[in-house]
């Protein structure tokens, strides 16, 4: 449904970028009133796969219990056009429950991934699972969990793509 939740003030966004000749994307984050919260251009440098972008430290933090809409727009030849390929979604920062706050103290673990998933914290479920995959790239269980998670939301066809931080 393109709506997701996070407990992070500066969350990570994941977007699938197919093979293309686009050199950069424009990222925009707006509040519900369409006020710009943060925007930047991101160099793709020929990257393809599932790219991740974390709001940087100089970006304003997301406010709790507030909805934001984000956009990734492909920039062709230094210009955005009305028909430029794009993807968008909504994110809402929520306060972690007491149980989730306890799970967070252990750092990135499968138990934390499961806690995020059980509470519907989509963005942090992805981020934590990706972090575990980076720490243990040969762990087949993590690859299976990744595939299963993406399959639940109809994204199984892209699960085998590399995850590329921008």
């Amino acid at each position: 449904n393109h709506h997701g939740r996070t407990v992070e003030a500066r969350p990570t966004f994941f977007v699938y970028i197919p093979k293309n000749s686009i050199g950069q994307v424009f990222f925009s984050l707006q509040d519900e009133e369409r006020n710009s919260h943060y925007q930047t251009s991101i160099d793709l440098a020929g990257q393809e796969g599932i790219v991740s972008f974390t709001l940087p430290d100089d970006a304003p933090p997301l406010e709790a219990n507030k909805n934001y809409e984000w956009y990734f727009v492909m920039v062709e030849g230094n210009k955005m056009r009305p028909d430029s390929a794009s993807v968008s979604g909504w994110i809402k920062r929520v306060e972690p429950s007491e149980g989730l706050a306890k799970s967070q103290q252990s750092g990135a673990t499968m138990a934390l991934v499961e806690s995020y998933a059980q509470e519907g914290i989509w963005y942090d479920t992805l981020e934590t699972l990706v972090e575990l995959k980076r720490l243990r790239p040969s762990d087949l269980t993590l690859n299976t969990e990744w595939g299963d998670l993406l399959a639940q939301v109809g994204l199984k066809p892209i699960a085998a793509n590399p995850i590329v931080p921008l």
Side-chain angles (χ1 to χ4, degrees), residues 16-143:
Y16 172 66
I17 305 287
K19 187 172 183 167
N20 64 78
S21 60
I22 303 299
Q24 64 179 312
V25 294
F26 177 73
F27 173 80
S28 176
L29 185 63
Q30 300 175 349
D31 65 20
E32 290 176 297
E33 291 80 37
R34 295 279 190 230
N35 298 311
S36 178
H37 185 78
Y38 179 78
Q39 59 187 20
T40 189
S41 291
I42 304 167
D43 183 16
L44 285 181
Q47 299 294 338
E48 63 181 275
I50 300 169
V51 297
S52 66
F53 171 73
T54 303
L55 279 182
D57 292 339
D58 64 347
L62 298 185
E63 294 178 36
N65 299 312
K66 190 171 182 179
N67 291 305
Y68 297 87
E69 188 170 17
W70 56 263
Y71 301 89
F72 278 88
V73 182
M74 301 286 194
V75 178
E76 299 178 41
N78 296 330
K79 285 195 235 179
M80 285 187 293
R81 301 184 338 212
D83 63 343
S84 293
S86 66
V87 64
S88 65
W90 286 86
I91 187 169
K92 180 178 185 176
R93 181 177 176 199
V94 296
E95 296 295 332
S97 68
E98 186 176 314
L100 182 56
K102 286 181 184 176
S103 293
Q104 288 176 305
Q105 293 173 356
S106 300
T109 63
M110 273 309 296
L112 180 57
V113 170
E114 291 166 5
S115 293
Y116 282 139
Q118 287 172 354
E119 294 197 23
I121 311 293
W122 173 252
Y123 288 88
D124 305 332
T125 300
L126 287 177
E127 172 61 20
T128 305
L129 191 50
V130 166
E131 183 178 341
L132 289 172
K133 283 173 54 74
R134 285 186 187 137
L135 292 171
R136 302 188 321 236
S138 60
D139 188 330
L140 298 179
T141 302
L142 293 174
N143 289 329

